[in-house]
Amino acid sequence: MREKGITMAEEQQNPEEQNPDTQIAGEDSSSEQPTDQLAPPVNENFKWYIIHAYSGFERKVRESLESRISAFGLQNKIGRIMIPTEPVTELRNGKKYTIERVFLPGYVLIEMDLDNDLWHVIKNTPRVTGFLGTGDNPVALSEQEVSSIIFRSDVSKEKPSLKIKFDRGEQVRINEGPFANFTGAVDEINEDKQTLKVMVSIFGRSTPVEIEFSKVDKVVE
């Protein structure tokens, strides 16, 4: 095998919009959504590898790989092809959208019995830039490494993170809880806890209220 480059293009992921206020499922492939442990390979010769792809084109790369593998009759050499994703909730125009977003841009996991012919088919797939590793041989991942990637995705699905940016001083309206419909200015932002301290007027006095990101809406002027 010849030496393989591992650089990635800087194109951005453009997730498809979903209907508002709905939770969507992940990829169609059940192998991408393990429930409690990584299923054993169907072929004892299969090992996991990471392919470098253009960032933002991971799904296109998977589709191209599946088509080329079928065209070259190499289905018995390939197992699962996975793209690690996580649910992210965004707030747009006052409505919540939950999308599946790639959390390792530019990486595609593939289970296979790698040989020289298969290497050439994969390396020449559009938008594939190489394999993880240096020199002549791609580096196979251990089961523990693969599980750590996959189960991070699985755990994150239990509580989607809210992808929204607040600025100190901007006006927000509380939409849930005892202070519902109160408006106030953002005083503090805690990105780790995903909470805000909002200064609201209660009985004519400015009072700080700590509230979760998901329980406020930005006030559109």
Side-chain angles (χ1 to χ4, degrees), residues 21-22 50 67 101 103 112 118 133 154 186 201 216:
D21 301 318
T22 59
I50 286 181
S67 296
R101 176 167 295 172
F103 69 73
M112 58 185 167
L118 185 55
D154 195 49
V186 175
S201 178
V216 301

Side-chain angles (χ1 to χ4, degrees), residues 112-129:
M112 58 185 167
D113 181 10
L114 184 62
D115 60 18
N116 195 58
D117 290 338
L118 185 55
W119 181 88
H120 280 283
V121 170
I122 293 173
K123 183 63 174 64
N124 292 318
T125 298
R127 302 186 181 95
V128 169
T129 61

Side-chain angles (χ1 to χ4, degrees), residues 148-185:
S148 68
I149 295 172
I150 295 170
F151 288 117
R152 172 192 161 171
S153 175
D154 195 49
V155 169
S156 69
K157 293 180 186 305
E158 297 177 4
K159 186 178 180 181
S161 59
L162 190 63
K163 195 74 173 181
I164 182 171
K165 179 177 175 60
F166 291 97
D167 295 314
R168 192 169 184 272
E170 75 173 312
Q171 291 290 312
V172 295
R173 177 180 291 105
I174 300 173
N175 58 38
E176 188 176 327
F179 298 101
N181 298 320
F182 278 73
T183 59

Side-chain angles (χ1 to χ4, degrees), residues 1-214:
M1 298 181 185
R2 62 179 183 277
E3 183 174 355
K4 298 161 268 302
I6 58 173
T7 59
M8 293 183 291
E10 295 181 351
E11 300 182 40
Q12 297 298 314
Q13 174 74 17
N14 293 314
E16 297 178 356
E17 287 194 4
Q18 306 296 328
N19 291 330
D21 301 318
T22 59
Q23 176 80 25
I24 66 170
E27 296 286 331
D28 291 338
S29 172
S30 60
S31 62
E32 289 198 32
Q33 307 303 335
T35 54
D36 52 6
Q37 62 181 0
L38 185 64
V42 297
N43 185 324
E44 62 181 9
N45 293 323
F46 282 172
K47 293 182 180 179
W48 285 98
Y49 297 86
I50 286 181
I51 296 171
H52 288 293
Y54 289 176
S55 180
F57 290 93
E58 297 84 3
R59 292 176 176 84
K60 290 292 186 182
V61 164
R62 183 175 62 183
E63 293 173 4
S64 297
L65 284 170
E66 291 171 344
S67 296
R68 287 172 59 80
I69 289 163
S70 178
F72 283 93
L74 296 171
Q75 295 93 327
N76 64 324
K77 290 281 189 178
I78 294 289
R80 291 162 285 187
I81 302 176
M82 303 172 63
I83 303 169
T85 61
E86 61 184 351
V88 175
T89 300
E90 297 182 344
L91 192 64
R92 307 174 197 166
N93 299 322
K95 295 181 179 180
K96 297 175 185 176
Y97 295 78
T98 300
I99 62 173
E100 288 293 326
R101 176 167 295 172
V102 175
F103 69 73
L104 289 177
Y107 288 82
V108 177
L109 281 74
I110 183 168
E111 184 186 39
M112 58 185 167
D113 181 10
L114 184 62
D115 60 18
N116 195 58
D117 290 338
L118 185 55
W119 181 88
H120 280 283
V121 170
I122 293 173
K123 183 63 174 64
N124 292 318
T125 298
R127 302 186 181 95
V128 169
T129 61
F131 289 83
L132 177 68
T134 57
D136 293 334
N137 297 310
V139 175
L141 277 66
S142 68
E143 290 292 323
Q144 182 178 3
E145 289 172 323
V146 175
S147 293
S148 68
I149 295 172
I150 295 170
F151 288 117
R152 172 192 161 171
S153 175
D154 195 49
V155 169
S156 69
K157 293 180 186 305
E158 297 177 4
K159 186 178 180 181
S161 59
L162 190 63
K163 195 74 173 181
I164 182 171
K165 179 177 175 60
F166 291 97
D167 295 314
R168 192 169 184 272
E170 75 173 312
Q171 291 290 312
V172 295
R173 177 180 291 105
I174 300 173
N175 58 38
E176 188 176 327
F179 298 101
N181 298 320
F182 278 73
T183 59
V186 175
D187 186 56
E188 294 181 12
I189 305 164
N190 190 320
E191 295 285 354
D192 293 332
K193 292 183 178 180
Q194 293 195 317
T195 59
L196 302 171
K197 183 178 288 186
V198 179
M199 303 302 293
V200 300
S201 178
I202 302 176
F203 300 117
R205 300 181 62 179
S206 184
T207 305
V209 174
E210 186 170 349
I211 193 82
E212 297 175 10
F213 283 7
S214 61

